[in-house]
Amino acid sequence: MKHANKSIGLIGYHSIQYFARDLKSCVHWHIEKFGFEEIAKSNSAWEKKHGMRSVVLRGAGNIGWIITEPIEKASTAGRYLNNHPDGVAYINFRVKSIKKTAEFLVERKAPILYDIEVHKSKNAGTWKEIAIATALDDVGFRFIEEKKYDLFAPDHEWTNANTKNNDNRLGLDLGIDHVTCNGRSMHAITEFYAHCMGFKRYWGIEFHTTHHKPELGTGSGLESIVMWDKESGIKFATNQPLAPYYNNSQIQIYVEDNHGSGVQHIALGTKNIINTVEKLKVKGAVFLEASDKYYEQLPSRMKKMKLQKIKEPMEIVKKNNILLDGSNGKYLLQIFMKEQCVQMKNKTAGPFFYEIIQRAGDESFGEGNFKALFDSIEKQQVTDHRQEMRERVDSLC
Ligand SMILES: [Fe+2]
């Protein structure tokens, strides 16, 4: 079908909205353990109108992290948390023109949650937003156009005068590298990105993990496709389980733990992953660990990547359990944190987790690391963590 509007007009991310049962603990974790800073909060008018309260953090470049807890059970956050553990509920994008973005969405019959809302600030700046439902169950997308708008968001007041400072004490200042979502049917989600948002396929992979449960006979599997918006560079990965043993896949386990599709992880960029990871470890962050075999196999993998050596000392990379991948002499370093329910020692904090990534020319998604990561997640799900999550999921019912 031909469409009059060729582009959705994304500029980049405006903010991530995370719904949490315990605002104070979630904010505390991101500030104390993750190097974020509080910059704004909702005012009483907004809280009364929406039955929720929010604190806004900044720490990943200029992207806001809105942590919201329900005051009223019937609020948007209350209804979300009635169905799910804590997690990402909205991804908010900056757009060039709300009018053109809205036309694009309406023409493609995107599921509009609410039509364009306009807010004016005291200095006559404007904020315009529109929101859509997505193929990710209760996760929504907002599109925001700001013109000389002097608040973080309507009815939110600044709590820190230093609002222009995007530095992160732990070096997480390159913003969001990519967002990864899990669902039982990947194509329903990737088709949504293609049809409603005009995204194109960027990358894909499928494999089975090494088994950790002998009774399964083999490892579980997953398929993954990355879709992107070329104009803004925004990239969304989507995973689905892969047969045989579809229902044993860690992707299925995430969907069960999350009570539906949702955002599995957000990758944040750093210029110096060793520095960031070492600081995070001092703060008590817990990471997934690659096996010794992974590092034993690394020299032969590096030959295939045409990588003679990397700038970072390999023994420190290994000591910190950082993963390496690349091709044609270019590489990336990445590491995956354990889920927020583990970081926060709180069963309702959910299966969402953060990835830290440093790119040295390689723009892929760590093809060689994917299996190592999912081996590791699966091992963790089967051992210490799985039973705990099960209990938590049962308690949510
Ligand atoms: Fe990732």
Side-chain angles (χ1 to χ4, degrees), residues 178 180 237 264-267 334 336 355 365 370 373:
H178 61 273
T180 297
Q264 180 207 37
H265 73 266
I266 293 180
Q334 59 188 162
F336 301 89
E355 171 187 342
F365 279 77
F370 240 73
L373 161 71

Side-chain angles (χ1 to χ4, degrees), residues 115-142:
D115 207 350
I116 299 174
E117 287 181 0
V118 180
H119 300 266
K120 295 217 179 283
S121 68
K122 278 184 197 152
N123 72 352
T126 54
W127 165 290
K128 295 176 185 174
E129 68 172 79
I130 188 169
I132 60 170
T134 70
L136 293 158
D137 284 327
D138 292 327
V139 179
F141 289 169
R142 288 192 194 95

Side-chain angles (χ1 to χ4, degrees), residues 43-217:
N43 68 17
S44 54
W46 189 89
E47 290 167 8
K48 200 170 170 200
K49 182 178 170 192
H50 295 281
M52 307 186 279
R53 67 172 70 85
S54 296
V55 169
V56 183
L57 309 174
R58 187 162 284 165
N62 67 348
I63 303 164
W65 237 251
I66 310 166
I67 315 289
T68 302
E69 75 175 0
I71 301 169
E72 305 287 342
K73 273 190 173 175
S75 62
T76 311
R79 288 162 67 184
Y80 178 97
L81 293 172
N82 194 38
N83 291 331
H84 305 282
D86 299 359
V88 174
Y90 274 94
I91 298 175
N92 303 328
F93 305 94
R94 293 178 199 278
V95 296
K96 293 174 206 161
S97 157
I98 200 81
K99 186 173 169 284
K100 286 192 173 160
T101 297
E103 282 171 5
F104 183 98
L105 294 169
V106 168
E107 192 180 19
R108 287 162 183 251
K109 299 212 178 297
I112 309 285
L113 277 173
Y114 53 85
D115 207 350
I116 299 174
E117 287 181 0
V118 180
H119 300 266
K120 295 217 179 283
S121 68
K122 278 184 197 152
N123 72 352
T126 54
W127 165 290
K128 295 176 185 174
E129 68 172 79
I130 188 169
I132 60 170
T134 70
L136 293 158
D137 284 327
D138 292 327
V139 179
F141 289 169
R142 288 192 194 95
F143 305 91
I144 297 161
E145 179 196 322
E146 289 176 290
K147 283 220 168 71
K148 295 180 182 164
Y149 198 70
D150 58 359
L151 300 174
F152 173 78
D155 285 326
H156 283 63
E157 58 195 48
W158 297 112
T159 51
N160 183 341
N162 196 12
T163 54
K164 299 288 178 221
N165 181 11
N166 294 330
D167 291 349
N168 177 294
R169 283 172 281 135
L170 311 182
L172 295 168
D173 22 34
L174 295 187
I176 295 175
D177 185 274
H178 61 273
V179 173
T180 297
C181 302
N182 287 344
R184 277 171 62 80
S185 172
M186 173 179 71
H187 292 291
I189 299 166
T190 54
E191 273 305 306
F192 167 81
Y193 295 145
H195 178 76
C196 292
M197 298 180 70
F199 280 26
K200 300 272 189 298
R201 184 187 164 108
Y202 181 82
W203 188 82
I205 192 173
E206 61 180 78
F207 62 84
H208 282 87
T209 55
T210 311
H211 67 86
H212 295 287
K213 283 181 105 176
E215 66 271 26
L216 293 182

